[in-house]
């Protein structure tokens, strides 16, 4: 069966019954039908009690790793072991749903439901973020049209319009054409919604008041005198909060095995910080004994940002980390083509293990215990599994073969038990860098210690913007790297664990409302494009039933 058929075969419990598993009163729910609900922000008032487990992965490949599947399956396995557990995930973006990557609901017998709704619009959070962001853009252009009392320079507007879709044609556009009544002509740009600063702010806000303060602090433009213009100067933060009134509340759903799942926010990890909302995570930690969450793409991106940005902002201390890999993906890192992955190839696997090892050694830099979860495929040979186990033994790594895709929670019990032991280990969690380093020093430290780059090259544009941001007093903010997810380097074709390479820092941009500085590496784009054969071409609606959605 397909993922969709499996999901449709399971009868969801009433969302009120799922809420009871976390001792949530019905008056703190805003139900969307019988299987979805918004959670009241009043749930933030309780003390945090749960243990936090982060699921991350090796550098992704077209072979697939199964990070969300492992996250969900682990949560179900912990529930089966009678642990009060909650899973916290990001919301899918329509861009990859209709593009190439797919959704974010897991797979096989480790999924969250209703997967169709979650992947398609859900409760409208991403639409609200799109509207909020574009309202700021509209107010800026209207302000300029109506006399421009702030002296905004139309060539120095930092905020871009957004759309929750992969549409490369909108990356660079011209607006205001058609005569004087249509605004002031200028160059503009579209980003995908999940790369917007409003999305980042939603996911890093501590509560509704902090959200408003962060929105007010957004640097959206510069004046002709090169002075910063913020949302506070525009005076529209109140309107943004009105638009985001319901979107600020996390969404409660369930797994196929009825473990509570809180899904909220969805920034990409290659162009944003890649973590679900801090509000959702803290509510989970308030209500459950174990919270399993994930960070996007490989550990070099999502996990690093989870530790250095989200944990720092939210004062979180992870208890354990799971690093997900597949033998198939490791063989691709060892040079095997996708069409040859079903053939046993121990030598290629051993070469690809360098990627896994580098991610594991990076996790050690944060002083956290970790378990490697190998998402098992039927094509994995006994020789390959044995080579993997020998690798783990040689490096003193804890490893578990996970079969949650095909067996649900039963396929994740060994992983769950090893994660529980890891959670009991004493750890001295630390960040990679101190905030009092210069912006350039922080960027260099990430590139050299996490990516293992030989050198870091800054373009003149990046140098100029680093100087500008330092003069404006933003030098103490953390760094959010925007880099290809497919490689430790900024070259997506450089697989494995390269070391003799340089990274090109193309530009450095402020996201001071969110509370970090964005660093653009190589050719990374903040508006993706569709592939030659988009996933949308296989979807249909027959008699009210969705077909072809994974």
């Amino acid at each position: 069966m397909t993922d969709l058929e499996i999901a449709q075969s399971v009868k969801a419990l009433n969302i009120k019954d799922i809420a009871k598993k976390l001792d949530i009163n019905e008056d703190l729910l805003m139900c969307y039908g019988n299987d979805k609900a918004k959670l009241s922000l009043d749930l933030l008032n309780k003390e945090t009690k749960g243990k936090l487990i982060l699921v991350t992965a090796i550098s992704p490949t077209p072979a697939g790793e199964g990070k969300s599947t492992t996250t969900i399956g682990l949560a179900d396995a912990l529930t089966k072991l009678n642990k009060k557990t909650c899973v916290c995930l990001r919301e899918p973006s329509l861009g990859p749903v209709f593009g190439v990557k797919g959704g974010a609901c897991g797979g096989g017998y480790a999924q969250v439901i209703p997967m169709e709704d979650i992947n398609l619009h859900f409760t409208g959070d991403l639409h609200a973020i799109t509207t909020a962001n574009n309202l700021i853009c509209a107010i800026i252009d209207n302000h300029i049209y109506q006399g421009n009392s702030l002296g905004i320079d139309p060539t120095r507007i930092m905020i871009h319009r957004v759309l929750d879709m992969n549409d490369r044609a909108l990356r660079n556009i011209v607006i205001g054409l058609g005569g004087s009544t249509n605004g002031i002509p200028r160059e503009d740009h579209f980003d995908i919604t999940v790369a917007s600063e409003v999305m980042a702010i939603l996911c890093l806000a501590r509560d509704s008041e902090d959200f408003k303060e962060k929105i007010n602090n957004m640097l959206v433009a510069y004046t002709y005198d090169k002075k910063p213009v913020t949302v506070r100067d525009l005076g529209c933060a109140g309107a943004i909060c009105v638009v985001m009134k319901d979107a600020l509340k996390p969404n409660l759903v369930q797994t196929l095995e009825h473990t509570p799942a809180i899904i909220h926010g969805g920034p990409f990890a290659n162009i944003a910080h890649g973590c679900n909302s801090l509000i959702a995570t803290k509510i989970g930690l308030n209500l459950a004994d174990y919270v399993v969450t994930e960070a996007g793409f490989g550990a070099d991106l999502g996990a690093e940002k989870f530790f250095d940005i989200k944990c720092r902002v939210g004062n979180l201390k992870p208890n354990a980390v799971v690093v997900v890999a597949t033998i198939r993906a490791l063989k691709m890192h060892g040079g095997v083509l996708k069409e040859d992955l079903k053939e046993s190839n121990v030598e290629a696997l051993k070469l690809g293990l360098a990627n896994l090892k580098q991610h594991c050694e990076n996790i050690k830099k944060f002083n956290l215990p970790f378990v490697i979860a190998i998402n098992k495929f039927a094509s994995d040979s006994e020789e390959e599994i044995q080579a993997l186990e020998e690798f783990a033994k040689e490096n003193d790594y804890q490893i578990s073969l996970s079969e949650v895709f095909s067996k649900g929670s039963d396929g994740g019990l060994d992983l769950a038990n090893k994660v529980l032991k890891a959670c009991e280990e004493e750890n001295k969690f630390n960040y990679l860098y101190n905030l009092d380093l210069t912006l350039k020093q922080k960027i260099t430290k990430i590139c050299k210690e996490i990516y293992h780059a030989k050198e870091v090259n800054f373009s003149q544009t990046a140098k100029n913007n680093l100087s500008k941001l330092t003069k404006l007093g933003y030098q103490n903010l953390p760094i959010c790297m925007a880099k290809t997810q497919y490689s430790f380097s900024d070259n997506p074709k450089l697989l494995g664990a390269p070391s003799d390479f340089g990274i090109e820092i193309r530009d450095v941009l402020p996201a001071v409302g969110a509370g970090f500085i964005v660093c653009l590496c190589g050719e990374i784009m903040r508006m993706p494009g569709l592939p030659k054969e988009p996933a949308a071409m296989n979807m249909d609606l027959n008699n009210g039933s969705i077909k072809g959605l994974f």
Side-chain angles (χ1 to χ4, degrees):
M1 289 195 293
T2 66
D3 290 347
L4 179 58
E5 289 169 339
I6 292 171
Q8 291 175 337
S9 72
V10 175
K11 181 175 176 56
L13 296 182
N14 190 293
I15 198 63
K16 294 179 181 178
D17 293 325
I18 298 298
K20 288 177 183 176
K21 294 188 175 191
L22 295 176
D23 302 316
I24 301 172
N25 294 327
E26 286 188 18
D27 59 354
L28 297 176
L29 298 176
M30 182 169 69
C31 295
Y32 284 61
N34 295 322
D35 53 9
K36 302 180 292 294
K38 285 281 186 183
L39 295 176
S40 170
L41 297 185
D42 289 343
L43 290 165
L44 280 169
N45 294 333
K46 297 180 181 179
E47 281 189 22
T48 297
K49 65 175 183 177
K51 293 184 182 294
L52 182 59
I53 302 160
L54 175 70
V55 179
T56 184
I58 62 171
S59 304
T61 70
E65 288 69 51
K67 188 168 70 270
S68 296
T69 301
T70 303
T71 303
I72 296 162
L74 172 59
D76 281 336
L78 289 168
T79 298
K80 193 154 197 171
L81 293 173
N82 297 315
K83 304 299 181 183
K84 189 176 182 182
T85 305
C86 174
V87 60
C88 288
L89 299 170
R90 293 172 296 161
E91 298 181 52
S93 161
L94 291 178
V97 166
F98 290 118
V100 65
K101 178 179 177 290
C105 293
Y109 290 90
Q111 296 188 59
V112 283
I113 53 174
M115 73 93 87
E116 311 100 297
D117 293 356
I118 296 168
N119 279 313
L120 300 170
H121 305 288
F122 201 15
T123 56
D125 292 347
L126 267 70
H127 299 307
I129 293 165
T130 302
T131 302
N133 181 95
N134 293 345
L135 175 57
I136 297 171
C137 295
I139 286 173
I140 289 173
D141 283 303
N142 182 63
H143 180 90
I144 295 171
Y145 176 77
Q146 300 292 354
N148 199 6
S149 61
L150 291 173
I152 295 172
D153 184 347
T155 68
R156 290 189 174 92
I157 294 175
M158 304 300 294
I159 187 172
H160 295 173
R161 285 171 164 82
V162 300
L163 185 70
D164 188 33
M165 191 58 59
N166 292 1
D167 193 347
R168 61 172 57 83
L170 293 177
R171 287 173 183 162
N172 300 288
I173 61 173
V174 177
I175 63 173
L177 301 180
S180 60
T181 60
N182 293 322
I184 307 300
R186 69 175 181 88
E187 183 180 1
D188 201 2
H189 313 270
F190 267 86
D191 296 335
I192 192 167
T193 298
V194 290
S196 68
E197 188 172 356
V198 177
M199 170 63 88
I201 289 173
L202 169 72
C203 290
L204 290 172
R206 297 178 184 87
D207 51 39
S208 58
E209 288 303 311
D210 189 43
F211 175 81
K212 185 174 183 178
E213 180 65 16
K214 283 177 163 58
I215 289 290
N216 263 319
N217 291 339
M218 283 180 65
L219 195 164
V220 294
Y222 291 99
T223 67
Y224 287 110
D225 296 330
K226 299 182 180 180
K227 295 180 180 179
V229 177
T230 64
V231 169
R232 181 176 281 103
D233 297 321
L234 296 172
C236 62
I240 301 305
C241 291
V242 169
V243 171
M244 293 291 292
K245 175 178 69 72
D246 291 336
L248 280 171
K249 300 172 183 175
N251 308 287
L252 179 67
V253 289
Q254 61 193 287
T255 70
L256 293 179
E257 299 188 23
H258 314 304
T259 298
I262 303 177
I263 301 181
H264 195 219
F268 282 174
N270 59 346
I271 46 181
H273 75 283
C275 309
N276 74 300
S277 78
L278 182 59
I279 289 173
T281 302
K282 287 213 162 186
I283 286 178
L285 290 168
N286 290 344
L287 302 172
D289 294 328
Y290 293 89
V291 171
V292 187
T293 190
E294 67 172 12
F297 294 125
D300 58 321
L301 287 168
E304 185 274 317
K305 296 171 186 178
F306 181 89
F307 300 141
D308 283 322
I309 298 177
K310 181 174 178 175
C311 289
R312 201 187 305 252
V313 171
N315 194 28
L316 300 175
K317 182 181 178 181
N319 296 92
V321 177
V322 176
V323 182
V324 179
T326 63
I327 287 176
R328 289 162 53 88
L330 291 168
K331 287 192 292 188
M332 284 200 81
H333 279 293
V336 175
L337 299 176
K338 187 177 181 181
E339 55 266 29
D340 298 328
L341 289 176
K342 289 186 178 180
E343 298 177 14
S344 180
N345 192 329
V346 174
E347 292 308 310
L349 170 63
K350 288 180 177 179
L351 289 173
L353 284 169
N355 185 273
L356 173 58
K357 184 173 183 178
Q358 187 158 305
H359 283 295
C360 291
E361 293 304 309
N362 284 346
I363 297 297
K364 285 184 177 181
K365 293 180 180 179
F366 297 93
N367 280 321
L368 289 169
F370 64 90
V371 178
I372 298 170
I374 299 299
N375 197 14
K376 193 174 184 300
F377 279 72
S379 61
D380 298 344
S381 71
E382 288 300 320
E383 293 79 11
E384 290 170 333
I385 292 172
Q386 184 179 350
L388 195 57
E389 290 174 341
E390 289 174 356
F391 159 81
K393 187 176 181 179
E394 288 169 2
N395 290 280
D396 197 25
Y397 295 158
Q398 283 291 308
I399 192 168
S400 176
L401 290 179
S402 171
E403 297 182 84
V404 296
F405 181 90
S406 58
K407 298 180 180 179
S409 61
D410 285 341
L413 293 176
D414 178 69
L415 174 62
N417 278 310
K418 286 176 178 174
V419 169
L420 287 172
K421 289 182 181 178
C423 284
E424 297 307 315
E425 292 181 27
E426 184 179 355
N427 73 70
K428 297 179 180 179
F429 171 62
N430 60 266
Y431 309 120
L432 180 69
Y433 53 81
N434 295 324
L435 293 181
D436 57 4
L437 295 177
T438 68
L439 294 175
K440 186 175 182 180
Q441 287 173 331
K442 284 179 275 197
I443 293 168
T444 301
K445 194 172 182 67
I446 295 171
C447 291
K448 290 194 172 182
E449 293 199 23
I450 299 298
Y451 309 154
H452 295 239
K454 185 177 181 180
E455 57 185 21
V456 186
N457 304 307
F458 293 80
S459 71
Q460 191 57 52
T461 298
K463 290 177 181 177
N464 292 343
N465 283 334
L466 282 172
S467 177
K468 180 193 299 183
L469 294 172
T470 299
K471 289 178 181 177
L472 289 172
Y474 301 136
Q475 71 273 11
N476 289 330
L477 294 179
I479 302 297
C480 181
M481 302 294 287
K483 178 188 75 70
T484 179
Q485 66 270 30
Y486 297 114
S487 172
F488 278 108
S489 73
D490 57 7
N491 177 0
K493 296 181 180 180
L494 202 57
L495 304 184
S499 57
D500 190 20
F501 66 92
I503 281 189
E504 179 70 23
I505 308 301
R506 180 162 52 88
D507 204 353
V508 180
L509 305 171
V512 296
F516 54 67
I517 301 299
V518 178
C519 180
L520 299 177
C521 302
E523 298 301 316
I524 194 72
M525 297 286 184
R526 295 201 292 176
M527 168 57 88
L530 290 171
K532 187 174 183 179
E533 295 183 10
M537 309 308 291
N538 299 314
M539 298 179 192
D540 202 358
L541 187 68
N542 294 328
N543 298 319
S545 179
I546 294 172
K547 305 293 182 184
L549 186 66
F550 324 121

